[in-house]
Amino acid sequence: MSIAIINNFGQYNHRISRTLKYLDIENKLIPNTISLKELQDMNPEGIILGGGPSIERVGNCKEFVMNMDVPILGICLGHQLIADTFGGLTKTAELQSYAQIELNILNESDLFKGIGNSLKVWASHKDEVISVPDNFEILANSDKCDVEAMKHEDKPIYGIQFHPEVQHTPRGGEIFQNFYNICKQ
């Protein structure tokens, strides 16, 4: 299996899987209650931590983040989970919204390779990362949120607040393809 998508009960987790299938990227949607050993036995090349309604329902995700030695991409709740696991700070957004926003790409990195300096994305801002953990850098921000995307400085661990799997993020497939390319390195 190429990519394990951890289902955190978000409304778009199945769309992540379908988008990867459109890109010919093998993937499997699995529950967040699977054990670390079961996930390791699947031998994924990368992990996507899907979105969801609550940080209280993330199952074994923190254990996956700390113990899997493969690239990880956290989307929305997955992004917040990565920040929380490494000591960042997440809180309820001052301006809660669910809309298309303009993303300012501060560091193209491997995840935003070929995208440019800005990108329209569909983002959910109910909860958001307000302080990145040590050893993380901010890759993108917006006028709604200071940490729309982040990356660990030494490990291939990425978090994004927005949803690349929906049609309102027109170049979302490129972001998934870039993540897959990271997994293949």
Side-chain angles (χ1 to χ4, degrees):
M1 170 197 12
S2 290
I3 305 293
I5 303 166
I6 308 300
N7 186 352
N8 285 315
F9 309 104
Q11 61 184 344
Y12 292 134
N13 287 308
H14 291 281
R15 287 199 53 87
I16 296 169
S17 179
R18 194 165 52 230
T19 300
L20 293 181
K21 285 178 183 165
Y22 290 152
L23 295 168
D24 289 324
I25 298 172
E26 182 185 351
N27 69 86
K28 184 172 183 178
L29 188 61
I30 58 177
N32 65 10
T33 54
I34 191 171
S35 73
L36 175 62
K37 170 97 170 76
E38 289 172 300
L39 182 59
Q40 288 170 331
D41 288 347
M42 290 179 180
N43 198 28
E45 294 176 85
I47 296 171
I48 295 176
L49 300 174
S54 169
I55 198 126
E56 287 82 36
R57 293 186 64 195
V58 295
N60 296 321
C61 288
K62 286 186 177 190
E63 192 175 6
F64 304 155
V65 171
M66 295 305 293
N67 294 296
M68 292 296 293
D69 191 24
V70 297
I72 298 172
L73 173 62
I75 298 174
C76 199
L77 176 65
H79 165 67
Q80 298 156 20
L81 174 68
I82 290 169
D84 187 61
T85 300
F86 283 96
L89 189 57
T90 301
K91 73 169 196 158
T92 300
E94 304 238 346
L95 292 170
Q96 294 183 30
S97 67
Y98 195 65
Q100 191 175 53
I101 62 164
E102 185 82 19
L103 190 71
N104 305 309
I105 299 172
L106 307 173
N107 181 341
E108 190 174 277
S109 179
D110 293 339
L111 192 63
F112 294 113
K113 187 175 185 174
I115 300 290
N117 294 330
S118 66
L119 177 66
K120 292 210 180 293
V121 300
W122 191 255
S124 170
H125 292 100
K126 181 179 182 291
D127 297 315
E128 61 188 18
V129 176
I130 60 167
S131 175
V132 296
D134 291 342
N135 300 316
F136 275 76
E137 63 179 300
I138 298 172
L139 299 180
N141 65 17
S142 73
D143 63 353
K144 302 265 187 227
C145 177
D146 291 335
V147 187
E148 292 284 359
M150 65 181 184
K151 177 195 181 299
H152 193 283
E153 293 172 354
D154 302 318
K155 300 175 183 180
I157 299 175
Y158 302 82
I160 56 177
Q161 181 67 42
F162 61 92
H163 293 273
E165 69 275 15
V166 299
Q167 104 182 35
H168 298 296
T169 302
R171 298 180 71 186
E174 292 174 60
I175 293 168
F176 282 125
Q177 187 64 56
N178 285 343
F179 179 67
Y180 184 61
N181 292 342
I182 293 164
C183 294
K184 294 302 229 176
Q185 294 177 359

